[in-house]
């Protein structure tokens, strides 16, 4: 609509994005034909640049596939995050790739992880499925696949450790030493599955811990009391929200080696409901013919459990299903005798409670008769838990008495007569005839069968028939 050529040139020049110096040079041209020629030159140049950019964009767009586009966007996102100060930790995918390359994985597992990692690279970072795939890869690389505890087996040291930690329990100790003796002669033995059955407080779980120390292996404990869901053993499938591996695989992640001593505590306390039977899921875990290829639903790859030394504990056998019992070697732990409780109280429980209550080893002394007084008249149990609690109670009362009398360095020798002053009226009678006849109750004698002749006199015991 402009008829004046001078105004038209000025208007066109004002709408072109030029440097200030170039605009100034056009403004300084007084001759109109020169200004028109200069502006036309600029317009032709800008048109050529526009055509060139359009051609380049078309060629790049033609070559760029879906993978290149996603890579371009992810790189762009990474640069933006770095500019915003959010990418200082480095490229997470690169770090994950390095972790996968460093991990020694079986061939099938390596192929599975490579496939999942390729899928992860193509996913948008904020996708919900990205988190699922990332957690799966983390679970795979955090598991031990080939790493072992390579402690050298020393039978004499192992026997010394077992005797140092526990008094009595000859049968479990003998079985463990037999296993270690065989281990020294063969390269690989199928991990035995022992089941320690006995009343509460006889030291089943602590025996498992001592076995691990004697063998120089890692120790893992898993309590099965109250477990009702089969998925807690075999894991959840990854299709579910919040899916995670089963407790067996999670415990192996904590162990860090493929041959720990694995204690399955309270195996008789599992229950069954609509979510499945966890004791049936344990069959695959404990069966030596199957557990070399244990398949967790979350991992969806075979995992070798055959190197693990499984030990289960239970209070009674009738709570364990027969097929599960068939896969285990049952070792019965009976209750402790009076003599065994005396040795355990003096050699193990008293030093432990003295340390726990802030006493030095020689500040409180209990003689044999004082320990026997506690065993006979204040505790009545197969194990030694009540005995330990009662000794702890004596230590606490002595501590209070010492502070009350302001005698911080006084040493105490506890006699059987002082026991009643500290613990009150005895809870049980010992060595007294019953006031009334009891049907089915008889007085008998018991003697422990031993290869060596016993020097202990026969003791009358009260036995219910």
């Amino acid at each position: 609509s402009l008829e004046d050529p001078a105004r038209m040139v000025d208007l066109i020049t004002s709408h072109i994005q030029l440097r200030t110096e170039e605009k100034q040079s056009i403004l300084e041209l007084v001759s109109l034909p020169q200004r028109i020629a200069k502006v036309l030159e600029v317009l032709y140049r800008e048109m050529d640049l526009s055509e060139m950019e359009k051609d380049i964009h078309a060629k790049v767009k033609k070559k760029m596939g879906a993978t290149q586009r996603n890579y371009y966007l992810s790189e762009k996102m990474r640069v933006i995050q770095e500019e915003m100060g959010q990418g200082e930790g480095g490229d997470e995918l690169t770090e994950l790739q390095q972790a996968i390359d460093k991990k020694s994985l079986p061939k099938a597992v390596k192929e599975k992880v490579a496939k999942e990692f390729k899928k992860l690279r193509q996913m948008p970072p904020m996708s919900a499925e990205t988190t699922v795939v990332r957690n799966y890869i983390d679970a795979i690389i955090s598991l031990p696949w080939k790493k072992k505890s390579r402690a050298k087996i020393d039978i004499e040291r192992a026997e010394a450790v077992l005797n140092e930690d526990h008094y009595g329990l000859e049968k479990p100790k003998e079985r463990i030493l037999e296993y270690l003796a065989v281990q020294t002669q063969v390269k690989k033995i199928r991990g035995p599955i022992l089941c320690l059955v006995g009343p509460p407080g006889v030291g089943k779980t602590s025996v498992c811990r001592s076995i691990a120390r004697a063998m120089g292996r890692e120790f893992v404990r898993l309590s099965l009391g109250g477990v009702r869901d089969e998925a807690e053993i075999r894991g959840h499938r990854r299709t579910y929200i919040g899916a995670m591996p089963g407790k067996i695989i999670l415990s192996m992640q904590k162990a860090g080696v493929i041959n720990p001593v694995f204690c399955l505590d309270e195996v008789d306390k599992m229950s069954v409901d609509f979510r499945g039977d966890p004791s049936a899921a344990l069959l695959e875990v404990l069966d030596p013919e199957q557990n070399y290829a244990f398949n967790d639903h979350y991992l969806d790859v075979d995992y070798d459990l055959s190197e693990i030394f499984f030990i289960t504990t239970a209070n009674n056998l009738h709570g364990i299903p027969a097929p599960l019992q068939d896969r285990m070697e049952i070792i019965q732990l009976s209750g402790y005798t009076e003599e065994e409780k005396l040795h355990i109280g003096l050699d193990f429980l008293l030093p432990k409670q003295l340390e726990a209550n802030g006493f030095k080893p020689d500040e409180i002394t209990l003689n044999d008769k004082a320990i026997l007084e506690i065993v006979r008249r204040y505790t009545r149990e197969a194990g030694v838990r009540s005995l330990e609690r009662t000794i702890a109670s004596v230590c606490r009362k002595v501590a209070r008495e010492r502070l009350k009398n302001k005698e911080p360095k006084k040493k105490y020798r506890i006699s059987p007569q002082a026991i009643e002053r500290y613990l009150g009226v005895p809870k049980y009678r010992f060595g007294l005839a019953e006031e009334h006849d009891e049907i089915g109750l008889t007085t008998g004698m018991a003697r422990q069968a031993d290869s060596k002749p016993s020097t202990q006199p026969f003791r009358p015991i009260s036995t219910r028939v």
Side-chain angles (χ1 to χ4, degrees):
S1 63
L2 289 176
E3 296 179 358
D4 185 2
R7 290 188 61 191
M8 184 183 294
V9 170
D10 292 341
L11 182 63
I12 291 172
T13 308
S14 67
H15 283 82
I16 301 175
Q17 292 185 358
L18 299 174
R19 298 193 310 274
T20 306
E21 295 82 1
E22 201 167 5
K23 286 186 177 182
Q24 178 68 27
S25 65
I26 295 173
L27 190 63
E28 290 175 358
L29 293 173
V30 179
S31 173
L32 181 60
Q34 290 180 354
R35 265 197 292 168
I36 293 175
K38 180 69 175 177
V39 172
L40 281 173
E41 182 185 339
V42 171
L43 285 174
Y44 283 133
R45 187 189 69 194
E46 292 297 322
M47 287 170 62
D48 290 342
L49 287 174
S50 178
E51 289 294 330
M52 189 184 301
E53 188 175 349
K54 194 180 295 183
D55 290 342
I56 293 172
H57 182 69
K59 289 177 182 178
V60 171
K61 188 176 181 181
K62 186 177 180 181
K63 290 182 179 179
M64 187 183 293
T67 305
Q68 291 173 322
R69 178 177 176 274
N70 290 335
Y71 177 74
Y72 170 76
L73 292 175
S74 64
E75 285 295 311
K76 194 172 181 179
M77 180 68 73
R78 183 178 65 80
V79 172
I80 292 172
Q81 288 177 347
E82 287 180 357
E83 291 296 326
M84 295 175 64
Q86 298 177 358
E88 297 176 358
D91 190 353
E92 293 185 2
L93 290 179
T94 304
E95 293 178 2
L96 186 60
Q97 179 70 65
Q98 292 173 354
I100 294 172
D101 293 338
K102 289 179 182 177
K103 191 75 175 179
S104 179
L105 299 172
K107 184 179 178 182
V109 179
K110 201 173 188 71
E111 291 174 357
K112 179 81 172 176
V113 172
K115 184 179 178 182
E116 293 293 327
F117 185 76
K118 184 179 179 181
K119 190 191 301 182
L120 179 63
R121 273 204 180 276
Q122 298 174 2
M123 290 179 181
M126 304 307 292
S127 169
E129 193 176 355
T130 301
T131 306
V132 175
V133 177
R134 176 63 191 264
N135 290 341
Y136 174 75
I137 295 175
D138 286 339
I140 290 283
I141 62 177
S142 63
L143 270 174
W145 293 91
K146 296 181 181 179
K147 186 180 177 183
K148 293 184 180 182
S149 297
R150 299 193 178 277
K152 189 176 180 182
I153 297 175
D154 186 345
I155 298 294
E156 294 182 359
R157 177 185 172 279
E159 186 173 5
V161 168
L162 292 174
N163 290 331
E164 178 186 335
D165 290 349
H166 292 86
Y167 183 85
L169 304 179
E170 300 301 329
K171 198 170 182 180
K173 291 179 182 177
E174 182 182 355
R175 179 63 185 86
I176 299 307
L177 295 175
E178 289 172 1
Y179 168 73
L180 295 179
V182 175
Q183 278 279 62
T184 58
Q185 299 188 103
V186 297
K187 291 184 178 180
K188 182 177 179 180
I189 182 175
R190 285 178 178 172
I193 293 93
L194 304 184
C195 182
L196 306 180
V197 181
V202 295
K204 300 183 292 296
T205 306
S206 59
V207 164
C208 300
R209 197 178 297 276
S210 297
I211 290 170
R213 192 163 78 90
M215 296 174 69
R217 292 192 186 183
E218 296 292 329
F219 176 72
V220 182
R221 176 183 172 272
L222 174 60
S223 179
L224 297 175
V227 172
R228 299 189 298 269
D229 191 353
E230 179 193 351
E232 293 197 46
I233 305 296
R234 282 210 175 114
H236 307 82
R237 298 194 183 277
R238 281 188 290 152
T239 53
Y240 298 111
I241 297 173
M244 60 187 298
K247 290 183 178 294
I248 301 293
I249 296 297
L250 291 175
S251 299
M252 292 304 295
Q253 289 178 349
K254 295 176 184 177
V257 291
I258 63 172
N259 61 340
V261 174
F262 204 123
C263 174
L264 295 170
D265 224 350
E266 309 293 351
V267 74
D268 58 330
K269 304 293 191 302
M270 290 186 293
S271 55
V272 182
D273 67 0
F274 64 94
R275 287 170 287 191
D277 185 358
S279 63
L282 272 182
L283 296 178
E284 185 183 1
V285 175
L286 298 180
D287 191 347
E289 300 295 333
Q290 302 178 47
N291 63 7
Y292 67 90
F294 174 68
N295 194 290
D296 186 274
H297 289 161
Y298 183 82
L299 297 183
D300 200 25
V301 291
D302 291 340
Y303 188 78
D304 187 4
L305 300 177
S306 61
E307 299 275 356
I308 301 174
F309 188 176
F310 283 106
I311 306 177
T312 63
T313 69
N315 294 133
N316 48 64
L317 283 175
H318 65 76
I320 308 174
L324 195 56
Q325 287 188 38
D326 185 54
R327 285 157 173 81
M328 300 185 292
E329 181 179 340
I330 308 298
I331 297 179
Q332 295 279 356
L333 274 70
S334 57
Y336 293 111
T337 63
E338 200 175 84
E339 182 183 353
E340 288 173 335
K341 288 183 179 180
L342 173 62
H343 283 282
I344 292 169
L346 287 175
D347 299 337
F348 297 94
L349 303 183
L350 181 59
K352 179 181 175 182
Q353 290 303 321
L354 287 176
E355 183 181 356
N357 288 279
F359 289 98
K360 294 179 180 178
D362 59 341
E363 289 184 338
I364 298 180
T365 305
L366 274 76
N367 57 21
D368 294 7
K369 292 182 179 179
I371 295 290
L372 285 176
E373 179 74 8
I374 294 175
V375 170
R376 291 171 175 174
R377 297 163 67 86
Y378 291 91
T379 65
R380 181 173 288 176
E381 57 174 350
V384 290
R385 283 181 184 158
S386 293
L387 176 60
E388 183 175 7
R389 285 193 290 264
T390 308
I391 292 175
S393 177
V394 172
C395 293
R396 290 194 300 270
K397 293 182 184 302
V398 169
R400 181 185 175 188
E401 181 179 324
R402 190 165 71 166
L403 292 176
K404 185 177 181 180
N405 296 334
K406 297 181 179 179
E407 298 172 334
K409 295 185 179 180
K410 183 179 178 180
K411 296 182 180 180
Y412 289 79
R413 296 180 63 85
I414 309 298
S415 64
Q417 293 74 24
I419 292 294
E420 186 170 346
R421 179 166 61 88
Y422 285 121
L423 299 179
V425 179
K427 298 178 182 179
Y428 308 104
R429 293 183 298 170
F430 177 79
L432 296 178
E434 297 293 338
E435 296 178 357
H436 304 286
D437 291 338
E438 294 279 350
I439 298 175
L441 196 68
T442 181
T443 301
M445 289 187 295
R447 174 180 180 275
Q448 183 178 359
D450 198 348
S451 57
K452 298 180 182 178
S454 175
T455 58
Q456 298 293 330
F458 289 108
R459 297 193 301 272
I461 60 171
S462 182
T463 305
R464 185 171 296 278
V465 179

